[in-house]
Amino acid sequence: MSEYFSNIKIGATTIATGMGITLKHFFNAVKRKGDAGIDDADYFRQVDGLCTLQYPKEVIPTPPHGRYRLYVNIDDCIGCAQCERACPVECITIETIKTTSDDLAVCGKTSGGQQKRMWVPVFDIDTAKCMTCGICVSVCPTDCIYHTLVADFSEFNVKNMLYHFGNLSKFETEAKKKKLAEQQAQAAKEKAAAGAAPKPGAPVAKPAPKAAPASQQNEGQESA
Ligand code: SF4
Ligand code: SF4
C-alpha cells in the first residue's frame, strides 16, 4: 500500500517538475535572442529566449566579409573574360565585340582610367550554378565583379537565377557588329591595295622582251 502512494507521489513530482520547466520557458519566451544581435559576443551564450526569427520580417544580418550573390559593375568591365575562363563551374558567359577606332571615346574608360576596347553585349552569371568560390573576383583586373551581402535570392523559376549584366541592347549589338565588320573589310581592302602597289625605292621590274615576229623566226630556222 505504501508503495502505491509512493508511486503516485513520484508521478506527481515528475509532472510538477516538467510543468515548472515548461512554464519557465513559456514565460522566458517573451525574450528574443535576436534582440542582442548576431554581432553581440554573447549571442550564442544566451540560454533563455526564443532563438527562432520571424523570417523574412526578421533577418540576421550577413557578415560584412561574407561571399554572397555576385554583382558586375559593367561600366568598369574591359571584357577580358578572365573571370569566365577561371570559373570552375562555367557559370559565367561573356560575349564581346571589339570597339571600332571611332567608338573608343563612346566606349569610355574604367573608373581606374583604363581605356575600354570591348563592348560586352552578353555578361551572364548563372547564380543557380555559382558556388560563390570567389575565383572570378580574385582574377578580375579591374575589380568590377564582386560579392554582395545579398544572401537570399531564391526564386520559384530557376530561369530567374540567370543574371544579365551586358551593356548593349540587341539592336546596339547588331549595329556594333556591322560597324566592326565594315571597318575590318575596309582595312583588308586597303592592306591588299597597299600590297599590290610598288613600294617606294623598290627596283622597277623590266618589261619582258617582245617576241620576234613569226616571219623572222622562220628565217632564222632556214639559215641554220
Ligand atoms: S564565384 Fe566561383 S563559381 Fe561563382 S561565378 Fe565566380 S568563379 Fe564561378
Ligand atoms: S575579369 Fe573583370 S574585367 Fe575581365 S571580363 Fe571579367 S568582370 Fe570584366
Side-chain angles (χ1 to χ4, degrees):
M1 195 69 171
S2 64
E3 191 184 350
Y4 173 77
F5 286 110
S6 167
N7 285 343
I8 290 175
K9 190 182 165 194
I10 291 170
T13 311
T14 306
I15 290 170
T17 307
M19 285 305 290
I21 293 170
T22 304
L23 286 172
K24 185 181 160 209
H25 283 290
F26 182 77
F27 289 114
N28 274 341
V30 293
K31 275 201 283 178
R32 309 295 306 272
K33 282 188 183 182
D35 292 346
I38 188 78
D39 294 330
D40 191 298
D42 286 330
Y43 182 83
F44 292 105
R45 292 198 198 106
Q46 297 172 86
V47 177
D48 298 327
L50 290 177
C51 58
T52 52
L53 294 176
Q54 298 302 308
Y55 189 84
K57 282 186 192 160
E58 294 171 320
V59 183
I60 294 176
T62 46
H65 50 272
R67 292 199 305 243
Y68 298 100
R69 192 173 72 192
L70 285 169
Y71 181 77
V72 181
N73 175 7
I74 201 70
D75 290 343
D76 271 358
C77 177
I78 56 172
C80 65
Q82 289 196 55
C83 53
E84 184 186 34
R85 287 193 292 274
C87 179
V89 292
E90 299 180 355
C91 63
I92 301 179
T93 307
I94 296 176
E95 283 176 24
T96 55
I97 304 171
K98 209 174 157 200
T99 316
T100 52
S101 48
D102 59 331
D103 249 1
L104 280 175
V106 185
C107 198
K109 295 182 178 180
T110 64
S111 57
Q114 187 174 350
Q115 175 63 55
K116 294 193 281 180
R117 298 184 184 280
M118 295 284 182
W119 297 106
V120 190
V122 177
F123 195 130
D124 293 349
I125 300 180
D126 189 345
T127 50
K129 280 195 209 166
C130 175
M131 55 183 186
T132 61
C133 64
I135 294 176
C136 55
V137 175
S138 64
V139 298
C140 179
T142 61
D143 295 331
C144 67
I145 181 166
Y146 52 87
H147 296 281
T148 64
L149 294 182
V150 182
D152 182 359
F153 46 98
S154 50
E155 295 281 352
F156 286 109
N157 187 342
V158 74
K159 285 181 186 165
N160 294 337
M161 299 290 276
L162 192 64
Y163 284 73
H164 308 285
F165 297 98
N167 60 3
L168 289 184
S169 67
K170 229 174 185 179
F171 176 76
E172 287 170 324
T173 303
E174 289 312 311
K176 300 289 181 202
K177 277 184 183 170
K178 193 174 165 209
K179 197 172 177 185
L180 179 65
E182 283 169 2
Q183 198 182 64
Q184 284 174 337
Q186 180 65 24
K189 218 169 162 184
E190 284 169 11
K191 196 175 170 188
K199 288 182 184 163
V204 180
K206 286 181 186 170
K210 279 184 186 172
S215 56
Q216 281 183 18
Q217 285 181 13
N218 292 340
E219 279 170 22
Q221 284 168 5
E222 281 165 15
S223 63

